[in-house]
Structures are given as structure tokens and as C-alpha cells.
């Protein structure tokens, strides 16, 4: 492991050194361009030139990455939260299915299990109590409803009994009494009539006559009394008794409804309490089962046979930041963190990052040549199989302007594939295009002038701009599709000021009839007839407000701050530069992408 880490660091240092040398070379060439082109008459002087070449040209992109198993099982920590490793199998060990790979600290989980078992017991007791209480409430509710329904039925029967039995009988009894009283009165009157006749003839005494008269009066009073009782029965007793019985029926019915509703409410409440206790009991059981499952997951076993590779060794994320800490006993891991990779096949992939600037050149199916740092002299071939649709968030986090897309290269199976190991550092050269016979020049010979690729051809000791049609380029050469012939000389120090100004100007005929920009010393359209400051504002002003904001300014922020004299956030005509500075003065400014 230390040797492999040293090789990776050495490879990274070499890449940084090469990149630094390329940047330095570009600055030197650009500086040479300004110095060589400082003469106002456009003469060649000591300007470096290049003879246009025709021949084979390979367009490729080289990026660094790591070797990864094509198919692998990723073993992750499934223990919630963060925990530490108390046992870890040695990296490089060949394990069998079922072998212990990692054991995590389960002491906290064991304590949680004991506490949770107590909670489960309490929840179970509450659940049983709620279940029995529900049975009692349901039984009591049924009993209350039955009694209320029986009372209602009795009230209905009492009403029916009175209206259809008692009251008619009472009426008949009153009528019978009246009839008897009338008969008694009739007999008393007949007897009185005979007694009066007999008294007049002297057969009975005065006392006997008075007794019959008293008997007749009594019979008359008994008849009136019975009639009064009949009136009281019809007008008062019957109405009161009927109203009382009807009220009893109504009250019994309302009591039955109240009892039914109360019984339902009591049962519903008891059921809700039972359901809550049951849910709580099940929830506590589930938590206990989850804790027990977590305890089981603290021991991670091999899901298949394979070679143990630590995830930290295979991780290539350190290309964009500090390398993660190596996996070891005592290290802290978190849930879903990758711990071990178990390759399941002998095939390998190369995983690299492609920069946004090169993304348009890379597509699936391109041939790739791969070199592995740990295997000098060995060569591996493969093809691009996939490109990530979004940039790697780790690179964007460290540098928002840096967009790197993860790209997977499938390596062809060969005899030397057995030498590869997951996590090895590699350099992949993606062959974008190969031309057997094409025209090409160095990339620094081509400028974008007013949005068109332009080279400066050396003719008669002077340079003349010529618009060309370009193709793909690599780090050093660019393909010329049309506009140049082999053997022609082009300047390697073109005037960067014209590309920096990027203002429309007059064009001249180029080879083949194409139009090109004006030669050095010719007036630039947009500047002729007005000051350079006015032309600068006209060129840089994008929203038409006749001033240049910080967003519209293409140069370094410090240049904008120097020109913005009143610090209002805008450059006006009065604040703009009055002239195009000499080449030497603006050399560093042009190199940094800004204007004077």
C-alpha cells in the first residue's frame, strides 16, 4: 500500500509539472509574439514562424484516473449513525462466502436493546389492559341498551293497555253505574207514588211516607254522583292519564336513543384506546426488531468469494481533494459508507474525469490507450462506454468553475489483464481522430478574430491575416481543413491585440478568395473617425446604455476598478482609455484576458 500510494503521488506530481511547463511555454510564446510584433510597419523581424505541414495527425485527449473492477460487490455499512470498526479483514485477503469481513462496535446497540425490551413489556401490559377494558365496555353498553329498549317497550304497552283496555272498561263501568242509579231512582219514585196514595187513604203512616221520600232523594243524588264521576273520567282523569303515558313513551324512546349513542361512544373510545395501545405495542416491537437487526448488521460477512479491496483504496475522489483516511480498525464509519469491494469478474474498467472543454470530443465507442503507473511498459486498450450526464459534484464543490465528467472505459481482456488491481492509477489517451494525411499547424498560430479562426501568413517579409477553416486539435497541433497549403509560413506570435479587441474591421482577400481581417496598420472599423475610448464603449456595451458594467467587462476585475474612477460600477466614455497602449504595456493585460 505505501508503494502504491507513493506511485500515485509521483504520477500526480509529474502531471502538475507537465501542466506548469505547458502554461509557462504558452506565456513565453505569447510574450515572444508581442515582442516580435512590436514594429508598426508589420515587418517580420525576429518573429518565430512555422512551416505548414502535411502528414499524419492524431487528435487525442489524455486524462488520469484509476483502474476498477468491471463487476464488483460493494459492501457497505448498514448500521445507522456513526460507529467504529473493532475488526477488519486484511486487505488483499481472498475470502470465501460467509467469512467475517468487518465487525462494528455494538455496545451502544446492546444497551438500547435492554431499554427497548422494558418498553416492549410496558407496552404489552397496556395493550392487554386496553383489550380487556374494551370487552367490558362492549358488554356494559349492550346491557344498558337492552334495559333502555325494554323500558321503551313497556311504555308502549302501558299506553296501549290504557287506551284499549282500562279506559274503555272505566267508561262501561260508569255507564253501568248510571243505569243502575236510574233504575234505583225509578223504583224509588214508584214506591213514593204508592206510598203517597196509601198515606192519603190512611194505610201507612207519615213516617213511612217520609222514608220513601228520603229514599227517592237518595236515588236521585246517587244518579247525579255517578254522572259527575263519568264527566270527571272523560274530561280530566282520562286526558291526564293519556298524556302521562304518552310522555312516558317519548321519554323512554329518548332514553333509548341516548343510551345507544352513549354506548357507541364508549365502545368507540375503548376501541380507539385499544388501537392506540396495540399500535404502540407493535411500534415498540418493531423498534426492538430493528435494534436486533442493527446488532446483526454489525457483523458483515462476505456475500461471495473474492479478493478484499478497501473502498478507500479504490476511491478516486482524492483527485479533487484530500485523500480519505485509510480504512482500519478503530476508524469511524457512517451509514451507507462503502467499506469493501469484492471483484466478481476478471475484467476491469478505467474510470477517468473528462474536463468540460474536451467533452464535445469524447463520445462512447472511441478507442482508448491506457498506461498504468504501477506497470511501466505494459499497454492496455479499451473503448469509452459511458459519460456521466452531470459533472462530478466533488470537483464543483472545490471549484465551481471546474466541470469534470466521470467517464468509464471498458478495457479489453488480454493476457496482461491479470496484472491489474483495483485502485491502480492510470493515464488514458482517448483517440478522438486519426488522420493519415492532413494539413496542420501549431495551435498558438490560430487566433479567433471577430469570431473567425485566423492565421498570419508570412509573405514578402511581412505578415498578412488569413481566415482558415479549422478542425480538431490536440494539445499542440490543430488541423487546417481549408485556407493553407503545405510549406507556407505562419507566424507563431500573432498579434493578440486584434483578437482581444474583437471589433469589426475591413477585410482583405485571402488565398482561395476568402475574406480576412485587415493587415497590421490598417484602420479598424469602429475606431476610425472616433477615439479609442468611444470604440471601446461601443464594442463592450451589450445592453445599449452607452456604458460598460462589471458584467460586460471581459478583463480582470482590478483593471475595471482602475478604469472606474468614480466607483459607480460603470465605465463611461470619459473613463475609457484614450488610446491603444503599446504592445509592451498591455502584454500582461492581454495575457490575462483584459483590455488596458
Amino acid at each position: 500500500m505505501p508503494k502504491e500510494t507513493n506511485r500515485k503521488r509521483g504520477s500526480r506530481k509529474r502531471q502538475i509539472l507537465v501542466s506548469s511547463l505547458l502554461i509557462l511555454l504558452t506565456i513565453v510564446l505569447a510574450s515572444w509574439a508581442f515582442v516580435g510584433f512590436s514594429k508598426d510597419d508589420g515587418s517580420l523581424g525576429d518573429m518565430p514562424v512555422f512551416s505548414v505541414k502535411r502528414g499524419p495527425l492524431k487528435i487525442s485527449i489524455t486524462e488520469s484516473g484509476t483502474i476498477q473492477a468491471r463487476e464488483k460487490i460493494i459492501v457497505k455499512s448498514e448500521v445507522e449513525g456513526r460507529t467504529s470498526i473493532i475488526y477488519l479483514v486484511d486487505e488483499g485477503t481472498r475470502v470465501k462466502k460467509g467469512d467475517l469481513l468487518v465487525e462494528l462496535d455494538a455496545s451502544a446497540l446492546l444497551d438500547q436493546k435492554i431499554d427497548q425490551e422494558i418498553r416492549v413489556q410496558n407496552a404489552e401490559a397496556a395493550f392487554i389492559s386496553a383489550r380487556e377494558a374494551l370487552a367490558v365496555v362492549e358488554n356494559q353498553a349492550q346491557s344498558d341498551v337492552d334495559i333502555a329498549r325494554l323500558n321503551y317497550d313497556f311504555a308502549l304497552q302501558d299506553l296501549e293497555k290504557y287506551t284499549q283496555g282500562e279506559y274503555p272498561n272505566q267508561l262501561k263501568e260508569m255507564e253501568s253505574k248510571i243505569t243502575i242509579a236510574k233504575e234505583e231512582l225509578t223504583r224509588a219514585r214508584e214506591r213514593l207514588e204508592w206510598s203517597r196514595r196509601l198515606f192519603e187513604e190512611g194505610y201507612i203512616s207519615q213516617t213511612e211516607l217520609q222514608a220513601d221520600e228520603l229514599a227517592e232523594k237518595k236515588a236521585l243524588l246517587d244518579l247525579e254522583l255517578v254522572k259527575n264521576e263519568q264527566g270527571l273520567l272523560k274530561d280530566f282523569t282520562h286526558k291526564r292519564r293519556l298524556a302521562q303515558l304518552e310522555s312516558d313513551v317519548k321519554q323512554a324512546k329518548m332514553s333509548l336513543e341516548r343510551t345507544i349513542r352513549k354506548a357507541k361512544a364508549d365502545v368507540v373510545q375503548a376501541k380507539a384506546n385499544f388501537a392506540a395501545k396495540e399500535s404502540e405495542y407493535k411500534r415498540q416491537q418493531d423498534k426492538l426488531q430493528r435494534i436486533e437487526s442493527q446488532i446483526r448488521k454489525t457483523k458483515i460477512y462476505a456475500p461471495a468469494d473474492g479478493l478484499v479491496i478497501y473502498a478507500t483504496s479504490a476511491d478516486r475522489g482524492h483527485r479533487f481533494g484530500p485523500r480519505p483516511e485509510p480504512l482500519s480498525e478503530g476508524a469511524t464509519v457512517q451509514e451507507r459508507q462503502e467499506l469493501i469491494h469484492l471483484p466478481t469478474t476478471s475484467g476491469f474498467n478505467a474510470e477517468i474525469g473528462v474536463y468540460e472543454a474536451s467533452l464535445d470530443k469524447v463520445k462512447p465507442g472511441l478507442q482508448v490507450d491506457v498506461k498504468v503507473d504501477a506497470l511501466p511498459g505494459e499497454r492496455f486498450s479499451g473503448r469509452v462506454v459511458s459519460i456521466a450526464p452531470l459533472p462530478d459534484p466533488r470537483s464543483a464543490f472545490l471549484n465551481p468553475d471546474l466541470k469534470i465528467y466521470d467517464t468509464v472505459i471498458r478495457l479489453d481482456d488480454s493476457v496482461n489483464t491479470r496484472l491489474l488491481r483495483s485502485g491502480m492509477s492510470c493515464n488514458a489517451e482517448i483517440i478522438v481522430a486519426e488522420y493519415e494525411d492532413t494539413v496542420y499547424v501549431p495551435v498558438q498560430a490560430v487566433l479567433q478574430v471577430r469570431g473567425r479562426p485566423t492565421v498570419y501568413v508570412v509573405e514578402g517579409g511581412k505578415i498578412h491575416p488569413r481566415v482558415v477553416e479549422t478542425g480538431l486539435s490536440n494539445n499542440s497541433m490543430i488541423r487546417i481543413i481549408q485556407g493553407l497549403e503545405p510549406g507556407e509560413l505562419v507566424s507563431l506570435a500573432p498579434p493578440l491585440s486584434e483578437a482581444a479587441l474583437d471589433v469589426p474591421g475591413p477585410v482583405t482577400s485571402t488565398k482561395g478568395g476568402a475574406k480576412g481581417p485587415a493587415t497590421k496598420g490598417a484602420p479598424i472599423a469602429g475606431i476610425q473617425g472616433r477615439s479609442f475610448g468611444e470604440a471601446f464603449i461601443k464594442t463592450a456595451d451589450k445592453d445599449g446604455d452607452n456604458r460598460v458594467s462589471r458584467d460586460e467587462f471581459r478583463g480582470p476585475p482590478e483593471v475595471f476598478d482602475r478604469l472606474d474612477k468614480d466607483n459607480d460600477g460603470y465605465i463611461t466614455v470619459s473613463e475609457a482609455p484614450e488610446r491603444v497602449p503599446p504592445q509592451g504595456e498591455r502584454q500582461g493585460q492581454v495575457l490575462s484576458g483584459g483590455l488596458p
Side-chain angles (χ1 to χ4, degrees), residues 225-441:
L225 180 62
V226 172
K227 286 183 178 180
N228 288 338
E229 289 180 356
Q230 185 185 35
L232 289 174
L233 176 63
K234 288 182 179 180
D235 296 336
F236 297 100
T237 305
H238 168 66
K239 290 182 179 180
R240 180 175 179 179
R241 180 62 176 165
L242 181 63
Q244 179 66 43
L245 292 174
E246 288 178 346
S247 175
D248 291 345
V249 171
K250 184 177 181 181
Q251 292 298 325
K253 182 179 180 180
M254 295 172 64
S255 176
L256 175 61
E257 292 176 352
R258 288 195 303 270
T259 303
I260 291 175
R261 291 181 179 180
K262 183 177 184 302
K264 288 182 178 179
D266 292 342
V267 171
V268 168
Q269 183 176 3
K271 285 183 177 180
N273 184 54
F274 170 72
K277 299 302 183 182
E278 184 180 25
S279 298
E280 177 64 17
Y281 176 47
K282 290 182 178 179
R283 188 175 74 90
Q284 296 299 338
Q285 280 186 320
D286 292 341
K287 290 180 67 175
L288 178 60
Q289 293 175 0
R290 187 168 65 250
I291 293 174
E292 292 174 343
S293 174
Q294 289 286 295
I295 292 175
R296 291 192 297 270
K297 290 176 180 178
T298 57
K299 292 184 178 181
I300 304 174
Y301 299 93
D305 299 349
L307 178 69
V308 174
I309 298 173
Y310 293 166
T312 52
S313 300
D315 183 19
R316 61 188 184 86
H318 64 276
R319 292 189 299 115
F320 313 116
R323 184 183 180 90
E325 291 294 330
L327 203 63
S328 62
E329 294 181 357
T332 301
V333 297
Q334 57 188 6
E335 184 181 6
R336 312 307 301 169
Q337 178 177 336
E338 295 182 4
L339 302 178
I340 291 176
H341 293 178
L342 288 177
T344 57
T345 64
S346 58
F348 288 90
N349 291 337
E351 298 183 0
I352 64 172
V354 175
Y355 289 87
E356 182 181 23
S358 304
L359 195 61
D360 59 336
K361 300 178 184 177
V362 180
K363 55 193 62 158
L366 291 181
Q367 180 69 29
V368 184
D369 292 333
V370 178
K371 299 178 183 179
V372 179
D373 296 349
L375 302 173
E378 298 290 343
R379 296 292 184 270
F380 303 89
S381 61
R383 291 189 179 277
V384 177
V385 293
S386 67
I387 304 170
L390 296 174
D392 188 337
R394 291 174 295 185
S395 61
F397 175 77
L398 295 174
N399 184 357
D401 296 328
L402 183 64
K403 303 291 192 304
I404 299 178
Y405 292 77
D406 291 338
T407 302
V408 178
I409 300 166
R410 181 188 178 96
L411 299 182
D412 299 334
D413 294 331
S414 59
V415 177
N416 56 355
T417 302
R418 59 184 176 80
L419 301 175
L420 295 175
R421 295 290 184 272
S422 294
M424 286 184 170
S425 299
C426 68
N427 285 299
E429 183 183 11
I430 303 175
I431 311 302
V432 179
E434 287 187 290
Y435 303 100
E436 295 182 359
D437 186 25
T438 189
V439 176
Y440 59 89
V441 297

Side-chain angles (χ1 to χ4, degrees), residues 76-84 104-105 108-109 112 294 331-337 339:
K76 299 180 179 179
S77 170
E78 297 183 8
V79 178
E80 297 176 356
R82 301 177 69 86
T83 184
S84 58
L104 303 175
D105 184 13
L109 290 172
Q112 293 179 21
Q294 289 286 295
T332 301
V333 297
Q334 57 188 6
E335 184 181 6
R336 312 307 301 169
Q337 178 177 336
L339 302 178

